[in-house]
Amino acid sequence: MKNIWSFFMGTLLLVSKGSKAYYIWVGTLLTIAAFGIMGYIYQLDQGLVVTAMKDQVSWGFYISNFTFLVGVAAAAVLLIIPAYVYHWKPIKEIAVLGELLAISAICMCLMFVTADLGRPERFWHLIPKVGLLNFPQSLLSWDVVVLNIYLFLNLTIAGYILYETYYKRTPNKNFLTPLLLLSIPAAISIHTVTAFLYNGLGARPFWNASILAPRFLASAFCSGPAFMILIFLLIRNYTKFKIKDEAIHKIAELIAYAMFVNLLLFGAEVFKEYYTDSVHLAPLKYLLQGLHGHSALVPWIWTALIFNVTAFFIFLIPESRKNPLTLVLGCIMIFAGVYIEKGMGLVIPGFIPDVLHEIYEYTPTGIEIIISMGIWSLGLLIFTMLLRVGIPILNGDFHVADDGVGSHIGDQLFLVGRQVKDVEDDEKLE
Amino acid sequence: MADHKECKHSPVEITRRQALQGLVAGLGVLALPASDASASVWEAFFQKHFRELSKEELAKTLARMGSEYSDEFGKEITVKATPAIEGVRYGYGLDLSRCVGCRRCVYACVEENNQSHDPQIHWIRVVQLDKEKGTALEYAEHYYNPELVPEKGHFYMPIQCQQCDNPPCTKVCPVQATWPEKDGIVVVDYNWCIGCRYCMAACPYGARHFNWAKGKLPAENMNTDTHYLGNRPRPKGVVEKCTFCIQRTREQPGRYPACEEICPVGARKFGNLLDPDGEMRYLIENKRVFILKEELNTQPKFYYFYAT
Amino acid sequence: MKRKLSVVALIVVGLLSFLCLGISEQVQAAKEKYFDRSGRLVVEENPTAESLRPYDVKNRVPDKTFPVPPAPFSEGIFPCSDCHGGMEPNLQRRELEDMHTDIILNHAEGQRWCLDCHNPNDRDVLRLVNGATIPFEESYLLCGQCHGDKLRDWKVGIHGKRTGFWNGEKTFLLCVHCHNPHDPSFKPLKPLPPPVRPGEARH
């Protein structure tokens, strides 16, 4: 009991002390999160009428973010597959960080879905046996199941690895390897299920294309790892955590291939709709050209496409892949491009034109944006906290003290700029 | 490494004891029912799915709802849960050669089924189509408002819930809050719906509507005879739709739906599809009948036909 | 050669007898009296026509009567015999000048006039083309003479406004409850307001 308490105290110290940049970062996130929470309380009181969603476009910004973030969460798999299947040393050390990203992303997904529900207090209706989960007929019930399994898996794997490392033990391969191998299909499952829940609707021809699930997976494998590369570059600069160049370049190369598949599949969609020129061309036309004078999404999707193609070439050509500036630029472009293409660029055209061919152009209201920013802040906050504890554990700076009970925070506490010996020494510094 | 005395003063302010006390106090507050809402808030929160309620629970629930609505609207409102009649499957006929697009059905439905006026919910949507373009919905005009209807060269098609036999909406509900009943009506349990709106994305006919806010109903126009699965006042954040006036049609003898009765040109027909002498069977067997979006295999029970 | 001939002869005889059997059935039907296959004596009066008819004209099901609300007469206009009882009917087709000038016939007025439907000798009833008279409560029979398809649909319940109980007493209305018999087509109505456009709702 005491060692858990001192672990907890150690983590609190880690997250509450830091450099000025750290305080600004956390402070900003907390402020935005506070605004987001206030906005959500207002939405709970007034109802979803405060959003721009109507019967014609019944899913909007929240579900767009949710769809994108499920992809980011699935992307942790990209790091695990080469790490554990090919026993690649550089990636193995940092695969855990990918899982921490997955945990934060899944938390954000759950928050976005909750924000979108009309009756969030009735979430217990989704719990099997307690409520009434329509499994296996409803794809949303599948989503509830696989997202929670994936969250649980990642918490277990990352938690176990960090726990064992904290206690200066080697994690038990026999326990870990099956879980890791399970997490690969779990990651693919969460995104496939999310794709299927759009795919199965005959009423929405824009989504009712077999190509949707492969597109989801391809774009997921671009966005998550791109974010991870940015995180790794930050970690490399600010901590003593060693991340090899070849690991980062390998991830970038894999992203290039995933983006190629993503663009290919998108191109296939475009060909099929434009060449056949049936009634079902309308949503894609709305997205790419505008329909009957409505063209709110057109500049966004073209920006996203330009970003995606540019980033693809950046990652494809080894020189630009290895150049730190273009690498960062490429990562940001891919993240933004996939965010647009798979977020609003996927969800909204499914509703425009609607099933009776009415066009209602949806743009999110201020409340939706504030709540969404609040959720992103909370997610980034969770991720920051996880990294703040996880990295010192992984690089040996935070581990159980020699007595086996207390906790020890080592010499270089990153982002602090000063040295902290033990937890109890902290008082002397004050 | 320094020595390993246990830390006496933790860098964080609250102690373990204080944290535990706060947690218990918080849970305790949660356990107390709020003074004015009383036990009914808890009953409402923990209410089981409609199909899992026992007879006594159902009677209690209906009574509680009746008194809650009566308090809210200042009128005596009753909520019933009439079950389906044996040997009945409802069908609806819409005579496209007669409909003139006057929208009286739309507003009769609003009155009969206690639909919200603000935000405005209409369960029936009448679209204006071109005679030369036929029933191609891409050319449908929803917001026509000429001086007089019917306009030359146009015909009119009301669209509402088609009460499909293979409904795509009930398939996708994650909590089974919507299901097709034995008599064919697809119903929603407003107290079980979590408001995810997946069914709205799945419906090919735009028949489902969401309560984006708490609906405003003028109390003087309220229909006080309500059905649990039909026209009782809906809370915010749940989905609703046409129920073939379940509060009327399930009575013995059954009344016609409000839209059917008010149509001034007799374009609407309703009846039991299983009745060999009924008008629905005659209609299906003798008139040129079609259904909307047949390729989706939803098997709707809303039949459009041309009598002439 | 002989064998071939006899075979052909047999075939021809077979065919002929086959045909004869068929013909004889018809011939038998045309007879007034005949024995059917089971040996019963059958006597018919107009046999051919009878046997070709798929329904029984002698035992026709009588026409259903439909309970309808009273006919929508103008105030005080019925019974017509109050005025017309003592009048001599003027069968000359003309435009009326003294009374009923408010009625403008806009219903096949090129082919008929008032007294083609209204019985000249008894204005309290209507007159069918075959000379039969019907009360105003059965005026649908008159309309049905030309509008037979509508009458068929109306009888089954799929023409016209339907109220009452779908599994009980259905309320039938007379044609004239909705259609003015002298000017039957519906006039255009003012439509009720369209729904609020989604972009224009509050917030």
Side-chain angles (χ1 to χ4, degrees):
Chain A
M1 197 59 203
K2 279 189 190 145
N3 48 359
I4 293 177
W5 185 247
S6 42
F7 169 76
F8 181 58
M9 285 291 114
T11 60
L12 278 178
L13 179 65
L14 281 170
V15 305
S16 57
K17 301 272 182 218
S19 69
K20 203 155 175 221
Y22 176 73
Y23 286 135
I24 292 175
W25 171 246
V26 172
T28 316
L29 289 180
L30 282 172
T31 316
I32 300 177
F35 276 114
I37 291 172
M38 288 197 300
Y40 185 59
I41 291 173
Y42 178 61
Q43 184 187 281
L44 276 178
D45 176 54
Q46 295 283 309
L48 282 162
V49 68
V50 303
T51 68
M53 294 188 276
K54 304 277 175 245
D55 286 349
Q56 286 79 357
V57 180
S58 50
W59 278 341
F61 200 51
Y62 298 141
I63 298 295
S64 309
N65 279 285
F66 163 80
T67 314
F68 173 70
L69 285 166
V70 176
V72 170
V77 150
L78 185 60
L79 301 177
I80 290 183
I81 292 177
Y84 288 97
V85 175
Y86 298 108
H87 303 291
W88 231 56
K89 197 63 175 50
I91 290 189
K92 193 170 174 157
E93 297 158 322
I94 54 185
V96 172
L97 299 176
E99 279 161 12
L100 293 179
L101 172 64
I103 292 170
S104 320
I106 294 277
C107 288
M108 279 199 267
C109 289
L110 295 173
M111 283 192 273
F112 269 115
V113 166
T114 310
D116 187 64
L117 283 182
R119 305 291 308 206
E121 80 277 10
R122 293 183 186 172
F123 75 93
W124 65 271
H125 294 182
L126 286 163
I127 305 173
K129 298 300 173 205
V130 175
L132 194 66
L133 190 67
N134 190 12
F135 187 90
Q137 219 189 23
S138 165
L139 264 301
L140 249 181
S141 69
W142 277 83
D143 223 8
V144 167
V145 168
V146 297
L147 277 178
N148 282 296
I149 288 178
Y150 188 68
L151 178 64
F152 176 72
L153 254 179
N154 275 315
L155 280 170
T156 309
I157 296 173
Y160 179 69
I161 293 177
L162 290 175
Y163 180 80
E164 293 296 293
T165 316
Y166 173 79
Y167 280 106
K168 295 195 272 199
R169 299 194 282 260
T170 327
N172 181 358
K173 280 271 182 334
N174 292 336
F175 176 69
L176 210 49
T177 311
L179 285 181
L180 283 165
L181 289 176
L182 188 61
S183 66
I184 298 172
I188 297 179
S189 76
I190 60 168
H191 219 30
T192 310
V193 166
T194 309
F196 279 172
L197 79 85
Y198 290 106
N199 205 355
L201 301 180
R204 308 283 171 186
F206 184 66
W207 299 332
N208 194 220
S210 336
I211 222 175
L212 199 72
R215 265 185 74 191
F216 265 50
L217 288 166
S219 55
F221 291 164
C222 302
S223 49
F227 188 73
M228 280 317 295
I229 289 180
L230 292 172
I231 296 294
F232 293 155
L233 292 172
L234 272 173
I235 289 174
R236 218 162 52 161
N237 279 346
Y238 288 103
T239 75
K240 72 175 191 203
F241 209 79
K242 297 267 181 294
I243 300 175
K244 298 213 177 88
D245 265 349
E246 48 183 355
I248 293 186
H249 296 153
K250 191 64 174 177
I251 296 171
E253 192 187 332
L254 294 170
I255 292 177
Y257 301 145
M259 180 45 80
F260 171 71
V261 175
N262 190 28
L263 290 170
L264 176 72
L265 295 177
F266 184 69
E269 278 280 282
V270 170
F271 168 76
K272 176 241 183 185
E273 292 301 354
Y274 272 93
Y275 190 84
T276 311
D277 201 12
S278 73
V279 166
H280 298 160
L281 169 62
L284 195 61
K285 199 160 171 210
Y286 169 73
L287 184 62
L288 292 173
Q289 295 172 253
L291 194 65
H292 300 311
H294 300 271
S295 56
L297 278 178
V298 175
W300 290 91
I301 193 65
W302 282 103
T303 311
L305 283 173
I306 292 170
F307 277 4
N308 281 347
V309 173
T310 315
F312 167 64
F313 282 114
I314 289 179
F315 285 151
L316 190 67
I317 303 168
E319 290 77 25
S320 51
R321 188 196 309 151
K322 292 180 176 138
N323 179 328
L325 179 64
T326 48
L327 179 67
V328 169
L329 199 62
C331 288
I332 295 175
M333 285 205 285
I334 281 215
F335 199 72
V338 177
Y339 179 71
I340 296 170
E341 182 208 325
K342 206 156 104 183
M344 293 273 283
L346 175 88
V347 173
I348 304 306
F351 292 103
I352 298 176
D354 85 337
V355 286
L356 299 180
H357 293 265
E358 200 185 331
I359 295 178
Y360 162 64
E361 259 202 315
Y362 165 89
T363 32
T365 57
I367 292 284
E368 285 180 275
I369 294 175
I370 289 174
I371 294 177
S372 305
M373 283 174 66
I375 296 176
W376 271 93
S377 304
L378 281 171
L380 287 171
L381 200 60
I382 293 173
F383 190 46
T384 310
M385 300 297 130
L386 288 172
L387 285 180
R388 198 91 175 123
V389 173
I391 289 174
I393 293 180
L394 284 173
N395 64 11
D397 266 340
F398 179 47
H399 55 81
V400 68
D402 288 336
D403 67 354
V405 175
S407 62
H408 166 87
I409 297 178
D411 288 344
Q412 189 192 23
L413 193 59
F414 68 103
L415 296 183
V416 174
R418 59 191 168 112
Q419 295 187 350
V420 179
K421 294 264 188 285
D422 278 345
V423 171
E424 48 201 50
D425 288 348
D426 196 44
E427 310 161 56
K428 295 183 197 148
L429 290 168
E430 291 313 303
Chain B
M1 295 293 151
D3 59 21
H4 323 296
K5 282 202 296 289
E6 192 175 329
C7 167
K8 289 199 184 69
H9 305 285
S10 113
V12 180
E13 295 295 310
I14 29 166
T15 63
R16 199 179 355 174
R17 173 172 279 170
Q18 284 174 324
L20 273 170
Q21 282 173 343
L23 196 62
V24 168
L27 278 175
V29 164
L30 220 58
L32 292 169
S35 53
D36 57 344
S38 79
S40 70
V41 170
W42 288 102
E43 279 169 27
F45 182 74
F46 287 112
Q47 186 187 317
K48 297 204 288 240
H49 190 282
F50 176 76
R51 291 196 284 190
E52 290 181 345
L53 292 172
S54 69
K55 270 206 159 95
E56 298 79 33
E57 283 170 329
L58 180 61
K60 254 181 84 184
T61 309
L62 295 177
R64 167 172 61 83
M65 281 182 178
S67 68
E68 275 174 10
Y69 293 141
S70 304
D71 288 338
E72 194 183 335
F73 293 98
K75 286 175 126 178
E76 184 61 43
I77 295 180
T78 50
V79 186
K80 60 193 176 194
T82 329
I85 305 174
E86 286 291 319
V88 169
R89 275 192 86 74
Y90 296 113
Y92 212 107
L94 203 310
D95 191 346
L96 287 178
S97 57
R98 303 273 175 261
C99 177
V100 291
C102 66
R103 292 201 183 101
R104 275 141 179 79
C105 50
V106 177
Y107 291 93
C109 174
V110 168
E111 294 280 309
E112 169 70 23
N113 289 295
N114 294 325
Q115 282 159 42
S116 162
H117 287 221
D118 177 24
Q120 186 193 67
I121 296 183
H122 287 170
W123 286 356
I124 303 175
R125 173 68 65 107
V126 186
V127 296
Q128 183 187 65
L129 298 161
D130 271 352
K131 278 187 176 164
E132 62 182 39
K133 296 210 169 79
T135 53
L137 284 170
E138 307 86 74
Y139 304 105
E141 175 56 59
H142 294 237
Y143 301 100
Y144 66 92
N145 193 15
E147 270 304 307
L148 295 170
V149 284
E151 284 191 291
K152 201 167 152 65
H154 292 284
F155 68 106
Y156 299 85
M157 188 158 79
I159 304 177
Q160 61 205 71
C161 175
Q162 313 273 296
Q163 315 289 359
C164 306
D165 271 341
N166 182 19
C169 55
T170 56
K171 254 197 306 206
V172 297
C173 177
V175 290
Q176 286 187 44
T178 179
W179 66 92
E181 289 257 297
K182 272 223 204 77
D183 55 1
I185 305 181
V186 178
V187 296
V188 179
D189 180 355
Y190 307 121
N191 282 45
W192 195 254
C193 174
I194 60 174
C196 71
R197 309 189 297 291
Y198 195 9
C199 59
M200 290 175 69
C203 175
Y205 307 106
R208 285 175 167 261
H209 307 272
F210 190 69
N211 285 278
W212 299 100
K214 177 87 182 94
K216 290 209 187 62
L217 314 177
E220 58 271 11
N221 293 349
M222 271 204 77
N223 182 358
T224 56
D225 175 28
T226 68
H227 192 287
Y228 180 93
L229 296 169
N231 64 333
R232 64 180 169 105
R234 273 76 65 191
K236 77 166 187 265
V238 298
V239 169
E240 59 179 63
K241 64 178 198 60
C242 163
T243 54
F244 274 359
C245 277
I246 198 172
Q247 70 280 0
R248 287 183 168 211
T249 53
R250 279 187 173 179
E251 296 307 302
Q252 293 273 36
R255 292 173 64 196
Y256 282 99
C259 50
E260 200 271 3
E261 280 195 342
I262 196 132
C263 177
V265 296
R268 288 169 166 271
K269 307 290 159 220
F270 178 83
N272 179 7
L273 288 166
L274 300 177
D275 176 6
D277 298 325
E279 53 254 54
M280 287 309 299
R281 283 288 283 276
Y282 182 89
L283 190 154
I284 293 171
E285 289 167 8
N286 293 287
K287 299 294 176 193
R288 285 165 291 150
V289 171
F290 74 93
I291 54 180
L292 283 181
K293 304 202 184 188
E294 184 164 1
E295 70 278 5
L296 294 178
N297 194 30
T298 51
Q299 298 161 28
K301 294 197 289 299
F302 201 93
Y303 301 99
Y304 293 93
F305 68 100
Y306 300 95
T308 46
Chain C
M1 194 58 193
K2 254 196 180 162
R3 198 171 280 170
K4 256 200 194 161
L5 258 167
S6 51
V7 167
V8 171
L10 265 171
I11 293 173
V12 170
V13 165
L15 276 172
L16 274 172
S17 52
F18 207 67
L19 276 168
C20 286
L21 267 172
I23 292 175
S24 71
E25 294 216 9
Q26 298 270 30
V27 169
Q28 277 184 343
K31 280 199 199 135
E32 282 183 82
K33 272 203 256 187
Y34 65 95
F35 291 94
D36 70 5
R37 281 206 181 79
S38 55
R40 269 197 303 260
L41 182 65
V42 180
V43 181
E44 289 180 7
E45 263 180 46
N46 283 316
T48 316
E50 292 293 324
S51 66
L52 288 177
R53 221 192 301 276
Y55 52 87
D56 184 354
V57 286
K58 290 223 161 40
N59 303 311
R60 228 193 265 268
V61 175
D63 259 345
K64 221 171 113 184
T65 50
F66 295 88
V68 288
F73 288 115
S74 318
E75 185 78 33
I77 207 86
F78 193 81
C80 313
S81 48
D82 283 352
C83 293
H84 287 277
M87 276 192 222
E88 195 60 41
N90 178 356
L91 299 175
Q92 182 62 38
R93 188 172 159 175
R94 66 198 183 279
E95 222 173 279
L96 299 177
E97 278 157 23
D98 291 329
M99 271 293 287
H100 302 307
T101 48
D102 51 330
I103 298 176
I104 302 190
L105 190 60
N106 185 15
H107 188 191
E109 67 276 10
Q111 288 84 44
R112 54 186 186 169
W113 76 305
C114 322
L115 294 180
D116 287 316
C117 293
H118 290 275
N119 188 5
N121 297 320
D122 177 7
R123 298 298 160 85
D124 288 338
V125 294
L126 295 165
R127 149 171 125 154
L128 297 178
V129 169
N130 64 0
T133 57
I134 50 165
F136 275 95
E137 290 75 44
E138 288 176 23
S139 51
Y140 48 86
L141 294 174
L142 176 62
C143 312
Q145 290 179 120
C146 292
H147 301 285
D149 54 344
K150 308 285 190 295
L151 179 64
R152 271 198 297 278
D153 286 350
W154 179 86
K155 282 181 177 174
V156 201
I158 64 166
H159 181 97
K161 198 170 158 81
R162 170 101 293 107
T163 50
F165 302 97
W166 62 265
N167 63 351
E169 272 299 310
K170 293 181 192 172
T171 306
F172 282 80
L173 296 168
L174 288 171
C175 317
V176 299
H177 280 113
C178 296
H179 301 276
N180 180 346
H182 308 123
D183 189 4
S185 64
F186 286 157
K187 303 294 163 273
L189 307 167
K190 177 153 179 53
L192 292 181
V196 170
R197 281 181 192 269
E200 287 158 15
R202 76 171 172 127
H203 286 278

